[in-house]
């Protein structure tokens, strides 16, 4: 039997961010988070397990990867193979349509696709909850990419992590007018990974406890904003939540500053647009790119204004996207 399968996963951007782990082995977060799965940033991954293979092979965006990057994928394959009796080597080929490690959640779509493809290649059938938990073990944010639309990752409280998984708040067709303008400032890989960065923040930022104190309220307001399609509330909470997370990063010792000067230029332009009556808000992750939230009616005007800024190298437009899914169109 051919033990091969392919999955496509969309990336997601958090509206209420995940930053900090209470358990690094199981990837259990200190706080719950909420995200929007994106329709146009995705990763396609083919996994084949084969007794004939003499080693694991991992190819990401056309390049064979080694070292830590390969080890992380192989560790995940080992985890998936706990469902079967015999462990064999695998070939993994993965392609994303956006730059990796640049603050665009490539590990989210990457590990969500790897999990579904791997599990299917092993001929296992898991529930969405189980897939979310397994994806979480690869990368925390991947737990949310398993589902489409608007998603909450419940932090859970059980030590084994069995209640720390994503659930769907609303499907992707609930609010198709909600738009995200992803501005690309730099495609350089970041110097401090999210994993290392969040661990340092938890240990050293005096603002980290204050961050945690505000999360429950942000989560509740964000859920209300999504279900009632209250764009102003969604934007205000998302922007404020992102700035609070970055305040914990900036006050980490040594400091973690993902912003570039271009990031600030765009953030200020968003505030100016708002002062001019165009409803838009920004959010940022562990990288310099600024993502602008707006409604479809304002999209063209905001996009053309932002496009005029010298610091913007590229722009991608996203709307709420679908859950991770299987395809027969294999990469090899
Ligand atoms: C998020 N980020 O909620 C936050 C906001 C970055 C800033 O999830 O260590 O790559 O693999 O669990 O999932 C990025 O962290 O970290 C992230 P690991 P991950 O989207």
């Amino acid at each position: 039997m051919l033990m091969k399968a392919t999955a496509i996963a969309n990336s997601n951007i958090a509206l209420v961010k995940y930053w900090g782990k209470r358990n690094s082995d199981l990837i259990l977060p200190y706080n719950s988070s909420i995200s929007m799965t994106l329709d146009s940033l995705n990763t396609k991954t083919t996994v084949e397990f084969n007794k004939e293979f003499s080693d694991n092979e991992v190819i990401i965006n056309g390049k064979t990867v080694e070292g830590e990057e390969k080890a992380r994928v192989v560790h995940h394959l080992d985890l998936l193979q706990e469902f079967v009796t015999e462990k064999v080597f695998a070939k993994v080929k993965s392609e994303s349509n956006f730059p990796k490690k640049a603050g665009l959640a490539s590990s989210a779509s990457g590990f969500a696709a790897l999990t579904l493809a791997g599990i299917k290649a092993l001929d296992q059938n898991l529930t969405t909850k189980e897939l979310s938990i397994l994806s979480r073990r690869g990368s925390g944010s991947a737990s949310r990419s398993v589902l489409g639309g608007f998603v909450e990752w419940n932090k859970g409280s059980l030590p084994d992590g069995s209640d720390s998984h994503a659930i769907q708040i609303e499907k992707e067709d609930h609010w198709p007018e909600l738009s995200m303008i992803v501005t690309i400032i730099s495609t350089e890989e970041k110097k401090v990974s999210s994993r290392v960065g969040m661990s340092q923040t938890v240990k050293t930022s005096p603002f980290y406890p204050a961050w945690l104190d505000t999360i429950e309220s942000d989560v509740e307001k964000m859920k209300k904003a999504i279900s009632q399609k209250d764009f102003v509330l969604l934007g205000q909470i998302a922007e404020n939540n992102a700035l609070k997370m970055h305040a914990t990063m900036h006050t980490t010792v040594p400091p973690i500053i993902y912003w570039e000067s271009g990031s600030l230029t765009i953030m200020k332009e968003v505030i100016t647009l708002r002062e001019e009556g165009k409803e838009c808000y920004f959010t940022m992750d562990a990288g310099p790119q600024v993502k602008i939230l707006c409604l479809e009616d304002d999209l063209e005007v905001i996009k053309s204004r932002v496009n005029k800024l010298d610091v913007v190298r590229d722009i991608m437009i996203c709307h709420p996207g679908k859950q991770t899914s299987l395809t027969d169109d294999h990469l090899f």
Side-chain angles (χ1 to χ4, degrees):
M1 196 191 70
L2 184 63
M3 294 167 78
K4 181 172 177 174
T6 301
I8 299 176
N10 282 318
S11 182
N12 72 78
I13 295 296
L15 302 170
V16 175
K17 310 291 186 187
Y18 144 56
W19 197 249
K21 297 178 181 71
R22 66 178 194 273
N23 180 321
S24 310
D25 290 335
L26 294 174
I27 310 199
L28 298 175
Y30 271 117
N31 66 277
S32 298
S33 53
I34 293 182
S35 60
M36 169 173 144
T37 301
L38 306 177
D39 63 346
S40 47
L41 302 188
N42 54 58
T43 301
K44 183 175 180 179
T45 301
T46 300
V47 180
E48 181 179 353
F49 293 97
N50 195 322
K51 282 181 195 166
E52 309 291 313
F53 292 163
S54 55
D55 196 2
N56 291 302
E57 187 185 1
V58 180
I59 305 157
I60 300 179
N61 295 335
K63 269 205 214 145
T64 300
V65 300
E66 299 292 344
E68 218 175 289
E69 201 170 2
K70 180 180 180 184
R72 206 169 146 189
V73 172
V74 171
H75 177 261
H76 202 63
L77 295 171
D78 287 346
L79 210 66
L80 302 184
Q81 291 199 86
E82 285 177 9
F83 286 88
V84 293
T85 44
E86 193 189 6
K87 210 180 127 187
V88 298
F89 291 118
K91 177 173 175 178
V92 175
K93 194 169 181 192
S94 184
E95 278 169 13
S96 296
N97 67 348
F98 60 98
K100 63 174 183 170
K101 295 187 181 172
L104 291 173
S106 56
S107 69
S109 53
F111 278 96
L114 180 67
T115 302
L116 182 60
I119 280 296
K120 194 67 196 170
L122 294 168
D123 200 27
Q124 302 296 303
N125 280 310
L126 300 189
T127 63
T128 306
K129 174 180 159 181
E130 289 168 322
L131 285 169
S132 175
I133 289 173
L134 259 186
S135 299
R136 187 202 78 216
R137 300 283 307 271
S139 186
S141 51
S143 67
R144 300 186 308 235
S145 271
V146 171
L147 288 149
F150 299 89
V151 177
E152 177 181 6
W153 172 15
N154 270 312
K155 65 179 177 320
S157 58
L158 298 172
D160 69 354
S162 56
D163 59 348
S164 185
H165 59 87
I167 49 165
Q168 191 173 54
I169 300 171
E170 296 285 353
K171 288 201 180 107
E172 56 275 16
D173 60 3
H174 166 70
W175 201 357
E177 304 81 18
L178 187 65
S179 311
M180 190 178 274
I181 303 169
V182 179
T183 63
I184 308 292
I185 293 174
S186 162
T187 53
E188 226 175 273
E189 289 193 6
K190 57 192 162 201
K191 292 189 185 81
V192 182
S193 70
S194 297
R195 191 158 288 191
V196 169
M198 65 176 84
S199 159
Q200 285 171 350
T201 298
V202 170
K203 280 189 217 133
T204 65
S205 172
F207 291 178
Y208 192 70
W211 153 259
L212 289 182
D213 282 348
T214 70
I215 294 293
E216 287 315 314
S217 157
D218 283 2
V219 163
E220 285 319 307
K221 286 183 195 143
M222 186 55 75
K223 284 205 274 200
K224 186 174 153 210
I226 291 167
S227 63
Q228 296 181 355
K229 298 201 238 181
D230 182 339
F231 177 67
V232 172
L233 182 63
L234 177 137
Q236 285 173 346
I237 299 297
E239 189 175 287
N240 180 256
N241 183 269
L243 287 171
K244 284 186 292 193
M245 176 185 70
H246 282 274
T248 72
M249 295 163 166
H250 295 174
T251 48
T252 291
V253 185
I256 303 165
I257 303 174
Y258 288 115
W259 299 1
E260 296 292 337
S261 54
S263 318
L264 201 55
T265 303
I266 300 171
M267 286 189 261
K268 292 221 165 179
E269 185 73 356
V270 168
I271 293 169
T272 304
L273 278 158
R274 214 152 60 214
E275 284 164 359
E276 292 171 11
K278 285 274 165 255
E279 276 306 326
C280 57
Y281 299 85
F282 61 79
T283 184
M284 282 186 72
D285 296 282
Q289 334 302 351
V290 180
K291 294 105 188 180
I292 304 167
L293 289 155
C294 66
L295 291 174
E296 190 70 34
D297 283 351
D298 296 326
L299 183 58
E300 276 312 313
V301 173
I302 296 169
K303 188 181 141 193
S304 69
R305 269 286 286 276
V306 172
N307 226 347
K308 288 197 184 104
L309 302 171
D310 289 344
V311 294
V312 175
R313 290 176 56 174
D314 201 0
I315 277 184
M316 285 184 284
I317 304 297
C318 302
H319 292 98
K322 288 190 170 60
Q323 64 185 44
T324 301
S325 60
L326 292 162
T327 169
D328 289 331
D329 189 15
H330 304 306
L331 289 172
F332 61 89

